[in-house]
Amino acid sequence: MSSRPISAALATVASLVLVVSAVSAAAAAETTVTETRGDLPGGGRYVLFEPESWNGTLLTWSPGYGGGGGVPTGGPSEETVGWLIDQGYALAGAAAGSGWAVEDLLAAQPQVVEAATAELGEPEHVVAWGASMGGQVAVALMEQNPDVFDAALPLCGSIAGAIPMLNGSLDGTYALKLLLAPDDSRLELVDITDERARQAAFREVLDTAQQTPEGRARIALAATLAQMPTWSQVGTERPEPRDIAARQEQLYRIFMWGVVSPRQPLEQRAGGNFSWNTDVDYAAALRDSGEARLVRELYREAGLSLADDLEVLNAGERIAADPDAVAYMQRNATPVGDIDGPVLSLHESGDSAPVVQQAGTYADRVRGNGDAPLLRQAFVDRPGHCAYAGAEIAALVTALQERLDTGRWEDVALPRALNDIADRIAADSGLARGGSFVQFRSDDLLRPEREPERYAE
């Protein structure tokens, strides 16, 4: 890392020494940590946890949707933060903005590193990490500030960007509205005027449709076009491949959370609508979805013509994006996959916000830039969003640290190695173990748009 000047605008810094208890299988250990909180020059607050014996690595945490609620944190949970401090990591985080606070965090986190450097001295390694929206921020920070951030650790992140994520959501809501309630003006697709009323209206239409075979088939089509997983519900068993009803039930239950995503706060940030479907062939999208057989079977049981419904979708009035809004979301942020340091991402196979296919599209972009050797992706095979156990996260940090120390991945990010690390950490520390890392190949997004010239008008 090169030295960086510290801004004189940092203010209201308060430090205190805390004693953090790290639970151990053998005995309780106590680690002294200095906690520093202060204001950032561009607005927002930061926190820094400095361990008594620092290992030279600084982890900078970006929160998920909501921007941290105004209170900065150093990681995803108190238990994980405590374990990391006990291992000698310095942790920092920012709370900047609210809602879709990507722009604020992209500006704030380099300032957090400046503040941390002033307190700690020059870090040997700086890692950008975060969950969900914060995972997207982490990879964008590394791309945009390669002189500040040496690596990225995105957890359950929309690492291919919000534009593909919300384009997928648009496809799902567009299909549901056209096939179930085409004249219901409450079902706003873009340019949202009342997010709460929109959500309530979609819920009403969805619940009514689920009561009939025809409605269930059309829900499955709409959810499939949005690439929702057929095992989406935490606490349920994976439906058998031939259990059509159970798989459709999973799509229905995830539809509101995964497809009818809050759009109004993002449009307010972007200054308009950044989604479009002007160039989509919905028959081709279904063929490429991997779930066409499920949809065809449900349509057969309902006595509906799938071809007729796809024709309705392809003939429907399309939606164009506002180029200025698209440009805003590109900047804040749609990662291009051009990286100079290691990235290790973590995903759940049954995630829906974002869908796991974000991993495949991001990997394609990294590969297209010739940077594939720098990227590793880890997966746990289960439904849910960001429901990682402490030992799972600790294993990822440990693996990335080894990559930074040695300059080589070797086998450290493979499922077997990650499981061994997580087992050891759980046994030694008392952190929850969670599930198993698995070999998994993510498909690509149906809507992987990145280049501005593809924004159809």
Side-chain angles (χ1 to χ4, degrees):
M1 296 289 297
S2 59
S3 60
R4 292 175 294 271
I6 182 68
S7 171
L10 288 169
T12 321
V13 175
S15 297
L16 60 149
V17 176
L18 304 175
V19 175
V20 175
S21 294
V23 178
S24 170
E30 289 187 343
T31 299
T32 301
V33 56
T34 301
E35 177 181 336
T36 303
R37 293 182 180 270
D39 298 322
L40 293 168
R45 301 273 296 169
Y46 77 93
V47 65
L48 169 66
F49 298 101
E50 178 183 357
E52 186 175 17
S53 180
W54 182 35
N55 67 6
T57 296
L58 171 66
L59 301 170
T60 60
W61 176 256
S62 294
Y65 184 85
V71 179
T73 57
S77 69
E78 290 184 8
E79 293 79 11
T80 303
V81 167
W83 183 87
L84 290 167
I85 291 170
D86 191 49
Q87 302 304 305
Y89 289 95
L91 294 98
S98 60
W100 187 252
V102 173
E103 179 182 15
D104 304 317
L105 289 166
L106 289 175
Q109 292 292 24
Q111 297 173 3
V112 171
V113 176
E114 284 193 70
T117 301
E119 292 289 328
L120 300 167
E122 190 68 25
E124 184 176 356
H125 305 296
V126 179
V127 177
W129 71 317
S132 196
M133 180 191 77
Q136 175 188 358
V137 171
V139 292
L141 281 168
M142 187 178 164
E143 286 187 3
Q144 296 180 13
N145 305 273
D147 58 331
V148 177
F149 298 96
D150 303 300
L153 182 62
L155 310 176
C156 51
S158 45
I159 54 179
I163 289 177
M165 182 173 73
L166 272 295
N167 270 350
S169 294
L170 174 60
D171 288 339
T173 54
Y174 169 85
L176 195 80
K177 178 175 181 176
L178 259 65
L179 297 177
L180 292 174
D183 299 323
D184 191 338
S185 62
R186 301 175 304 160
L187 303 183
E188 296 180 321
L189 301 180
V190 298
D191 297 319
I192 310 303
T193 61
D194 189 334
E195 185 66 59
R196 182 175 297 182
R198 169 183 181 254
Q199 296 273 334
F202 269 105
R203 166 57 70 190
E204 178 186 319
V205 170
L206 186 72
D207 289 348
T208 300
Q210 184 67 9
Q211 305 309 309
T212 68
E214 297 83 359
R216 290 192 290 272
R218 285 166 169 156
I219 289 170
L221 173 58
T224 296
L225 292 173
Q227 293 186 277
M228 290 296 104
T230 57
W231 185 29
S232 64
Q233 300 302 298
V234 175
T236 66
E237 295 295 324
R238 183 199 300 273
E240 293 294 329
R242 294 184 179 180
D243 193 342
I244 301 301
R247 295 172 70 201
Q248 191 280 336
E249 175 75 14
Q250 295 271 326
L251 293 175
Y252 157 68
R253 292 175 66 182
I254 201 59
F255 200 95
M256 288 301 301
W257 165 257
V259 184
V260 193
S261 303
R263 182 178 288 272
Q264 189 174 18
L266 282 71
E267 290 182 341
Q268 288 172 342
R269 286 269 185 174
N273 168 43
F274 50 84
S275 296
W276 70 94
N277 69 347
T278 47
D279 55 353
V280 178
D281 179 340
Y282 284 104
L286 178 61
R287 288 195 301 270
D288 294 341
S289 70
E291 295 291 354
R293 183 175 180 180
L294 168 66
V295 175
R296 285 198 299 268
E297 180 64 21
L298 286 163
Y299 265 76
R300 186 191 65 78
E301 291 180 357
L304 287 175
S305 169
L306 177 58
D308 287 350
D309 274 4
L310 289 170
E311 185 176 341
V312 168
L313 297 183
N314 279 339
E317 183 179 354
R318 301 304 182 96
I319 295 167
D322 176 344
D324 290 338
V326 169
Y328 175 90
M329 295 302 287
Q330 286 282 55
R331 296 191 303 271
N332 301 290
T334 306
V336 300
D338 186 4
I339 55 179
D340 294 327
V343 175
L344 177 56
S345 65
L346 178 60
H347 314 266
E348 287 142 315
S349 62
D351 202 345
S352 61
V355 294
V356 72
Q357 289 88 345
Q358 286 249 343
T361 290
Y362 180 72
D364 285 345
R365 293 179 189 165
V366 172
R367 192 178 305 113
N369 284 295
D371 295 327
L374 292 171
L375 176 67
R376 294 293 184 273
Q377 297 184 309
F379 300 89
V380 287
D381 188 23
R382 65 177 178 231
H385 178 59
C386 300
Y388 301 119
E392 292 174 334
I393 297 172
L396 267 288
V397 175
T398 302
L400 183 57
Q401 182 68 54
E402 183 167 339
R403 169 61 179 79
L404 288 168
D405 289 342
T406 66
R408 301 182 303 275
W409 283 113
E410 298 295 344
D411 295 335
V412 70
L414 294 178
R416 182 174 63 181
L418 291 172
N419 282 321
D420 288 345
I421 295 169
D423 288 343
R424 184 178 70 249
I425 290 172
D428 291 345
S429 70
L431 287 177
R433 173 59 180 88
S436 294
F437 296 97
V438 298
Q439 195 70 36
F440 183 88
R441 184 187 179 280
S442 169
D443 292 331
D444 296 339
L445 292 164
L446 294 173
R447 303 288 303 277
E449 291 89 354
R450 177 61 182 84
E451 295 76 15
E453 57 269 21
R454 293 198 61 183
Y455 307 154
E457 297 187 9

